[in-house]
């Protein structure tokens, strides 16, 4: 697996991990802090926006549009794995393609698809860390959605899948 593909798979896993924790909080009858929903909405919105820019279509969401938990699950399905699939299927020509877009502030930019895909994962990691901090601030134990934790889980799964001789 190349690095970009692995980052995309990690991003799906990390978003799944955070959503599972939010599901646990909701299932316990406790309210998910609004700031947590806002930050995680931003993570998924940004992914959807970058996919739209790459595909040259209008975005289905705004950068800081806020969502409830069921909508976050739907947006995760619509953005996380599709972003990963862009990473899996992009050849070198696609990765080097220059995308012209206007950001939420109205500024125009040109960026390489490879840089956009890398940014999407880095950006999501940054904001997932903010989600973890805000969960802890509100008395909830956050999940570990670090890249190395994902790698350790992959390694452990691979070891259990190989029978001992």
């Amino acid at each position: 697996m190349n690095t970009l593909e692995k980052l995309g798979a990690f991003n799906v896993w990390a978003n799944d991990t955070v959503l599972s924790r939010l599901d646990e909080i909701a299932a316990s009858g406790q309210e998910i802090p609004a700031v947590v929903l806002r930050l995680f909405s931003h993570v998924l919105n940004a992914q959807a926006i970058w996919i739209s820019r790459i595909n040259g279509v209008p975005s289905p969401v705004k950068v800081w549009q806020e969502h409830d938990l069921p909508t976050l699950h739907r947006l995760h399905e619509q953005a996380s794995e599709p972003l990963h699939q862009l990473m899996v299927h992009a050849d070198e020509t696609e990765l080097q393609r220059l995308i012209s877009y206007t950001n939420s502030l109205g500024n125009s930019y040109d960026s390489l698809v490879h840089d956009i895909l890398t940014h999407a994962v880095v950006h999501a990691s940054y904001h997932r860390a903010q989600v973890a901090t805000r969960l802890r601030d509100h008395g909830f134990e956050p999940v570990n959605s670090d890249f190395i934790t994902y790698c350790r889980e992959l390694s452990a799964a691979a070891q259990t899948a190989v029978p001992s001789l």
Side-chain angles (χ1 to χ4, degrees):
M1 182 182 317
N2 75 37
T3 301
L4 194 56
E5 288 178 36
K6 191 171 188 176
L7 286 173
F10 153 69
N11 187 65
V12 172
W13 170 87
N15 288 342
D16 278 337
T17 300
V18 170
L19 277 172
S20 292
R21 180 66 181 117
L22 298 182
D23 287 341
E24 290 171 3
I25 292 169
S28 74
Q30 298 179 78
E31 188 173 335
I32 299 168
V35 66
V36 168
L37 291 173
R38 183 173 195 266
L39 287 167
F40 200 63
S41 292
H42 177 66
V43 167
L44 298 177
N45 291 339
Q47 290 179 179
I49 290 166
W50 284 117
I51 291 168
S52 295
R53 288 174 179 163
I54 290 169
N55 291 329
V57 298
S59 172
V61 292
K62 303 289 184 204
V63 170
W64 285 102
Q65 184 176 340
E66 296 182 33
H67 308 289
D68 60 13
L69 188 55
T71 305
L72 286 174
H73 277 280
R74 283 192 300 279
L75 191 54
H76 169 56
E77 290 173 14
Q78 296 166 359
S80 298
E81 184 58 33
L83 184 70
H84 176 223
Q85 288 305 309
L86 285 173
M87 296 171 183
V88 169
H89 296 294
D91 60 14
E92 195 57 32
T93 300
E94 174 63 5
L95 292 173
Q96 295 305 314
R97 184 167 61 99
L98 203 58
I99 301 291
S100 297
Y101 59 93
T102 303
N103 73 2
S104 61
L105 299 175
N107 300 320
S108 295
Y109 295 98
D110 297 314
S111 297
L112 295 174
V113 169
H114 186 278
D115 293 341
I116 289 169
L117 295 173
T118 303
H119 167 74
V121 175
V122 173
H123 176 266
S125 293
Y126 172 80
H127 287 296
R128 281 190 299 265
Q130 289 181 317
V131 166
T133 300
R134 297 305 178 267
L135 283 172
R136 190 174 303 284
D137 289 348
H138 285 86
F140 297 104
E141 188 63 32
V143 293
N144 181 338
S145 61
D146 289 343
F147 178 72
I148 198 66
T149 302
Y150 167 73
C151 294
R152 289 174 187 150
E153 286 191 15
L154 273 183
S155 180
Q159 289 176 356
T160 59
V162 177
S164 301
L165 297 178

